[in-house]
Amino acid sequence: MIDVLVFIQNAHAKGVTLKRCLMDLRQKYGGISDEMLSQVKTVYGCTDTELNDITRWFPKLKSGPVALHQLTVCEPCFTHHAELRERLLEIQRSVGDEVLQITFGGCLGACGVGPNALLDGQLYTQLDHNRPFWVRLESLIKP
């Protein structure tokens, strides 16, 4: 857990907000344990109330270890792509929740080249015809 503490200390030293630090921790480590929350609280000097307010509004921030691979899908991009959404969910069903976790979230900031998703922290755009994305995602089925 020393590397987690260093990660949090570096984020704080760089002026990263508390919410952003929690989001980055979740992305990097796949979840935020109670021990991590305690370290964030100590480094940022925040109260339990402040942490609870953030994790209440963003419940996915406070989760234990999650799937091996994380897919965050830009929900606004997928409102007009039901077939892509179903294809992603079908892949998740075939590999299971312990291998792939799909989160349909907010905008990823690349609207002009959507639909978009983050797979293990890497942004993929134009998913409707992005072959490298689908090859990588489908490789999870047959490792």
Side-chain angles (χ1 to χ4, degrees):
M1 290 302 274
I2 292 175
D3 61 327
V4 173
L5 181 59
V6 170
F7 183 88
I8 296 166
Q9 289 170 334
N10 286 341
H12 186 258
K14 291 177 185 174
V16 172
T17 66
L18 177 60
K19 179 178 135 190
R20 177 82 260 166
C21 178
L22 291 170
M23 294 170 125
D24 291 347
L25 276 171
R26 183 175 188 280
Q27 183 67 39
K28 182 174 174 100
Y29 296 101
I32 301 174
S33 67
D34 288 336
E35 185 178 346
M36 288 177 177
L37 283 174
S38 176
Q39 290 176 332
V40 167
K41 181 180 162 187
T42 301
V43 171
Y44 275 79
C46 58
T47 65
D48 286 332
T49 303
E50 290 172 300
L51 275 180
N52 289 337
D53 285 348
I54 290 173
T55 57
R56 187 181 75 236
W57 283 102
F58 302 95
K60 293 194 182 237
L61 288 177
K62 187 180 179 186
S63 61
V66 290
L68 183 60
H69 298 281
Q70 304 294 312
L71 179 65
T72 304
V73 177
C74 179
E75 181 71 33
C77 288
F78 274 76
T79 56
H80 304 293
H81 293 88
E83 69 287 348
L84 290 178
R85 180 188 199 99
E86 186 52 40
R87 186 174 175 193
L88 291 173
L89 293 173
E90 185 178 312
I91 291 170
Q92 183 194 30
R93 284 189 293 269
S94 69
V95 298
D97 293 338
E98 64 281 347
V99 175
L100 178 64
Q101 178 181 9
I102 298 179
T103 304
F104 289 90
C107 179
L108 297 176
C111 302
V113 289
N116 307 303
L118 284 170
L119 179 57
D120 295 332
Q122 181 177 351
L123 178 65
Y124 290 88
T125 60
Q126 299 176 333
L127 297 185
D128 43 355
H129 57 271
N130 185 326
R131 182 157 166 70
F133 169 78
W134 293 104
V135 168
R136 170 115 191 276
L137 190 60
E138 291 174 1
S139 74
L140 302 177
I141 298 171
K142 309 169 232 141

